[in-house]
Amino acid sequence: SSRCVQIETGTPFAKWYEVGEAPLPEESLGADFFTAASQRLRAAGYRHYELSNYAKDGHESRHNLTYWHNEPFYAFGLGSTSYIHGARTKRPKKLREYFEWVEGGQPGISAPAADPDRTAMDAQRESREDLLLDTIMLSLRLSEGLRVRGLDETFGIPDVERKIWRAVEDYVARGLVVVAGGRINLS
């Protein structure tokens, strides 16, 4: 992975960090570092397959690709979120609550919930529109981009493909988006 660090307001790091001071460079220098790292990695045979990740062919992170392809996954531990059967399921963030939740044999650990809309603690079944937006956002992280053909059928949302093509026209004209082979990629 190669990425520029973003300091989030309210975090411990943000409380003591000042822009331009060690350990982080100014934004423009950070961008130069990212560009240099990208060039060196590509020269060494690594492919830039995701916004922040490089790998040699066949060695991409299967773990990360599960997220970027919006595929189902189980997650375990404090505050973790699984994505199963179109629902994101959160686990308790506090240790005592988590132990109580596990000891109680809550749905989603080993057996499905009696209510199919509640697969685990704080399950949120996503709407078709939310699933579509997740797919668009996650696909655009990848060098393979978003395959537009078939989205109408996959998500059951009429005319979504046409709306997507219209939405990217200005970005294509400005060179921020590339369209090739029925796919949309960030430039």
Side-chain angles (χ1 to χ4, degrees), residues 3-181:
R3 62 185 64 158
C4 297
V5 174
Q6 180 176 340
I7 308 304
E8 297 292 333
T9 305
T11 63
F13 194 91
K15 291 178 184 173
W16 61 265
Y17 173 74
E18 291 186 35
V19 176
E21 290 190 16
L24 299 179
E26 294 284 342
E27 188 174 328
S28 62
L29 184 57
D32 291 342
F33 288 158
F34 182 85
T35 300
S38 181
Q39 290 170 346
R40 290 194 73 169
L41 287 164
R42 288 174 195 231
Y46 289 81
R47 186 172 61 85
H48 193 180
Y49 74 98
E50 192 269 339
L51 285 178
S52 301
N53 292 293
Y54 298 77
K56 293 200 173 186
D57 286 338
H59 295 278
E60 298 84 358
S61 169
R62 289 180 294 177
H63 172 86
N64 289 350
L65 286 174
T66 297
Y67 300 137
W68 310 145
H69 288 142
N70 209 18
E71 296 170 348
F73 60 89
Y74 287 102
F76 303 95
L78 297 175
S80 64
T81 301
S82 297
Y83 178 59
I84 306 295
H85 304 299
R88 300 212 186 270
T89 57
K90 282 185 166 182
R91 307 304 189 267
K93 291 181 179 180
K94 298 190 180 199
L95 188 59
R96 184 175 50 78
E97 292 171 6
Y98 181 78
F99 281 144
E100 289 172 1
W101 182 76
V102 171
E103 292 296 322
Q106 293 299 313
I109 294 177
S110 61
D115 177 353
D117 291 332
R118 301 284 299 171
T119 58
M121 183 172 189
D122 292 334
Q124 295 179 351
R125 186 160 307 278
E126 300 204 334
S127 69
R128 292 179 302 170
E129 290 80 8
D130 286 341
L131 290 170
L132 171 63
L133 290 174
D134 283 350
T135 297
I136 292 169
M137 182 269 300
L138 295 169
S139 295
L140 289 174
R141 290 188 63 93
L142 296 169
S143 62
E144 66 195 51
L146 172 68
R147 181 175 177 265
V148 177
R149 185 177 305 127
L151 292 177
D152 287 358
E153 184 179 329
T154 299
F155 294 98
I157 302 172
D159 216 22
V160 73
E161 294 170 30
R162 184 186 62 78
K163 291 175 183 175
I164 290 171
W165 289 122
R166 288 189 65 204
V168 300
E169 286 174 353
D170 183 51
Y171 298 102
V172 171
R174 293 176 20 206
L176 300 172
V177 169
V178 176
V179 173

